[in-house]
Amino acid sequence: MKKVYKAHILYTKEKNRFEVLENGYIAVDADGRVAEVMAERPRTGYEDAEFVDFGNRLLIPAMNDMHVHAPQVHNQGVAMDLELLPWLQNYTFPEEAKYADIHYAERMYRRFLHTQWLFGTMRSCVFGTIHTESTRLLMKLYQEAGMGALVGKVAMNRHCPDNLTESVEEMVRGNESLIKEFPQLSARPKDACKARTVNSPLGSAASLCEELSTPLVRPIITPRFVPSCTPELLKACGELANKYQLPVQSHLSENTSEIAWVQELEQESTCYGDAYNRYGLFGQTPTIMAHCVWTSGEELEMMKRNGVMVAHCPTSNFNLSSGMAPVRTFIDEGLRVGLGSDISGGHDLNMFRMLTYAIQVSKMHYQYNHDMGFLTLPEVFWIATKSAGSFFGKVGSFEPGYDFDALVIDDEVLHPDEYSLLHRLERFIYVGDDRQIVHRFCRGKEILEPQL
């Protein structure tokens, strides 16, 4: 059923400015996609549509978390005084080993999804663990909630505890079982479109509709990082990504000690990024790399050529003493960038806080290089919405054809009448919280509170 929503509408089609419609209207079609944005209520074409008036509230695109470790939610805010490698060994790996227990996994994953819902995160790129059944459970919980996610069964087989190690064959078998259960494409109902035969991602012909839809929950190939994967495992990950045309996520140039370790392990590679590239894991299919704190030179050029996306995780980079990612450089060089909470290297699942932290990190960069201007509010909002959302398809904007992923903000408690609409949004980002988010939508469907 078509719907028309009335509210104060704010979004970013371009990175340097907001689109602002005071008392504007958004029409959403029956598939949950934006039909049009209007300054006045439509008089024709929507006679049968449901009309919803949100009054003096703000209507904005929902948040996207482009790098998060779901099984680390129990460690959130713990051991924040360590660097990356000791933090992994002493805290992260012992916690992830607990996900062999499906009951523990369900309890923690429900807590994790509930917190994402609270903060208005409707799409995520998620690391699970090596455990196939726990990863399957996480994907089903996302489906149950109606929230979008690319979920990865983590691959690793060296420099990690024995109870977090699996063979190449086990990794492939587990991933293929998830790929078959959660395909890349699905057909719309046959009465909604004209059927035809196409090649499916699983390599066989399938009778699908003229228009294919992308499921909200899909697998993503997830080698943890180069030090935890043998060449054979990296090669198998690349082959899986190519065979099923699946996206890839991992970590890149987060920490100087990590970079030196990769140079020892992959001596034929010219840089950290090339270590992934040699195995087909660096843009051969859609790829997002977290951190990229020390990315420059050849690695930066390779990312540009291959279309690799950056997941900027400012709180994690500070907490683990990794450094400050040069996001202004990435944007100026034309790289796509999104924001990630990186729980539990990061301590906060509220993606609106990531906008403020990203601005603050860029201002610290500015102190060392005045030629590199710091990020503005429209830029970080665009990074968190339209730029990040592009990894999922047409997500993160209110332009026609985009999925209606949206949040309704009731900022009455923040004295909205004293401020412009832009300042109201800025105040919510900086000092608001989940209590002001009163409605959440993903692909046109209102997402109700998930069960704990």
Side-chain angles (χ1 to χ4, degrees):
M1 180 180 181
K2 294 179 182 178
K3 295 187 178 181
V4 176
Y5 299 102
K6 178 178 181 286
H8 302 310
I9 300 165
L10 301 96
Y11 63 107
T12 44
K13 288 198 298 188
E14 301 170 359
K15 66 176 179 287
N16 58 355
R17 66 185 179 89
F18 280 99
E19 306 293 324
V20 180
L21 281 84
E22 184 174 1
N23 294 312
Y25 299 82
I26 292 184
V28 179
D29 67 22
D31 293 323
R33 294 177 175 87
V34 176
E36 55 183 319
V37 180
M38 300 155 284
E40 297 182 356
R41 182 170 179 170
R43 296 183 179 180
T44 59
Y46 297 96
E47 291 84 357
D48 297 330
E50 179 184 351
F51 177 75
V52 181
D53 188 348
F54 289 127
N56 194 34
R57 295 166 174 173
L58 308 179
L59 180 60
I60 63 174
M63 290 291 104
N64 306 289
D65 191 341
M66 304 309 294
H67 183 71
V68 60
H69 293 262
Q72 294 177 23
V73 66
H74 186 63
N75 280 354
Q76 186 177 348
V78 172
M80 296 288 91
D81 55 351
L82 297 180
E83 291 190 5
L84 172 65
L85 299 181
W87 173 81
L88 281 172
Q89 294 292 338
N90 296 325
Y91 288 88
T92 301
F93 289 158
E95 177 62 22
E96 291 192 8
K98 297 177 184 178
Y99 284 75
D101 180 349
I102 197 72
H103 301 291
Y104 182 82
E106 180 171 4
R107 181 159 59 93
M108 291 298 141
Y109 282 153
R110 285 190 181 277
R111 178 193 298 181
F112 168 74
L113 259 71
H114 186 267
T115 307
Q116 284 200 310
W117 175 87
L118 279 176
F119 293 129
T121 299
M122 293 292 106
R123 308 272 181 147
S124 306
C125 287
V126 188
F127 278 59
T129 62
I130 69 164
H131 309 103
T132 301
E133 290 310 311
S134 291
T135 304
R136 176 178 285 110
L137 169 67
L138 178 58
M139 298 177 81
K140 287 183 175 180
L141 290 175
Y142 268 111
Q143 283 186 328
E144 177 186 298
M147 295 154 61
L150 293 168
V151 180
K153 168 183 157 59
V154 172
M156 55 188 196
N157 67 345
R158 67 175 173 181
H159 300 132
C160 54
D162 290 343
N163 57 0
L164 285 177
T165 300
E166 63 178 353
S167 69
V168 173
E169 293 74 22
E170 288 172 325
M171 184 280 293
V172 171
R173 187 163 54 248
N175 267 292
E176 288 194 321
S177 72
L178 296 174
I179 291 165
K180 291 174 182 176
E181 187 170 348
F182 301 90
Q184 284 280 82
L185 298 173
S186 63
R188 294 172 60 198
K190 290 187 181 297
D191 60 359
C193 57
K194 181 180 177 182
R196 66 185 177 96
T197 299
V198 298
N199 290 323
S200 79
L202 301 182
S204 61
S207 178
L208 300 179
C209 292
E210 197 66 54
E211 292 186 32
L212 300 173
S213 65
T214 304
L216 286 171
V217 181
R218 295 175 286 142
I220 182 169
I221 300 301
T222 307
R224 187 179 205 106
F225 68 155
V226 168
S228 68
C229 301
T230 62
E232 294 76 17
L233 190 66
L234 290 168
K235 181 174 181 289
C237 285
E239 289 172 348
L240 278 173
N242 178 64
K243 179 179 180 180
Y244 297 107
Q245 287 300 290
L246 289 169
V248 170
Q249 64 178 349
S250 194
H251 301 83
L252 178 68
S253 298
E254 178 178 1
N255 179 285
T256 54
S257 300
E258 169 204 14
I259 294 168
W261 195 9
V262 171
Q263 290 175 336
E264 293 176 10
L265 295 171
E266 291 285 335
Q267 296 184 9
E268 295 182 12
S269 298
T270 58
C271 61
Y272 197 161
D274 188 47
Y276 290 113
N277 191 56
R278 292 172 62 242
Y279 298 106
L281 296 166
F282 209 63
Q284 289 79 7
T285 61
T287 301
I288 185 163
M289 289 284 165
H291 305 303
C292 306
V293 173
W294 301 100
T295 290
S296 62
E298 178 188 357
E299 187 169 89
L300 179 61
E301 291 301 315
M302 187 179 296
M303 293 181 74
K304 288 168 59 178
R305 285 197 308 272
N306 293 10
V308 175
M309 189 175 188
V310 176
H312 175 41
C313 307
T315 58
S316 174
N317 295 161
F318 278 174
N319 289 337
L320 299 179
S321 191
S322 299
M324 299 182 293
V327 176
R328 166 58 68 197
T329 297
F330 297 155
I331 296 296
D332 290 349
E333 291 288 336
L335 267 67
R336 286 190 302 162
V337 180
L339 297 178
S341 67
D342 195 25
I343 294 296
S344 65
H347 60 273
D348 198 336
L349 271 166
N350 185 345
M351 291 307 298
F352 289 104
R353 295 287 182 264
M354 296 310 117
L355 275 72
T356 67
Y357 298 143
I359 290 175
Q360 291 166 354
V361 169
S362 72
K363 286 184 173 179
M364 292 302 297
H365 252 302
Y366 178 73
Q367 299 304 314
Y368 299 98
N369 183 359
H370 286 288
D371 293 332
M372 186 187 300
F374 50 77
L375 298 173
T376 64
L377 185 67
E379 285 176 315
V380 294
F381 194 87
W382 174 84
I383 287 170
T385 55
K386 186 174 180 179
S387 178
S390 67
F391 200 72
F392 305 102
K394 284 193 169 184
V395 172
S397 180
F398 291 150
E399 297 163 68
Y402 275 69
D403 285 359
F404 186 66
D405 286 21
L407 306 176
V408 179
I409 310 300
D410 184 352
D411 59 341
E412 183 65 31
V413 70
L414 303 178
H415 308 292
D417 292 337
E418 300 176 13
Y419 300 94
S420 68
L421 291 179
L422 282 175
H423 285 163
R424 284 174 59 179
L425 176 59
E426 184 174 21
R427 278 177 59 80
F428 167 72
I429 290 170
Y430 273 86
V431 301
D433 59 41
D434 60 280
R435 291 171 296 179
Q436 282 87 58
I437 305 176
V438 292
H439 297 281
R440 301 154 177 85
F441 296 88
C442 184
R443 193 174 282 172
K445 178 184 177 183
E446 182 161 10
I447 306 303
L448 303 180
E449 186 169 3
Q451 180 183 350
L452 275 171

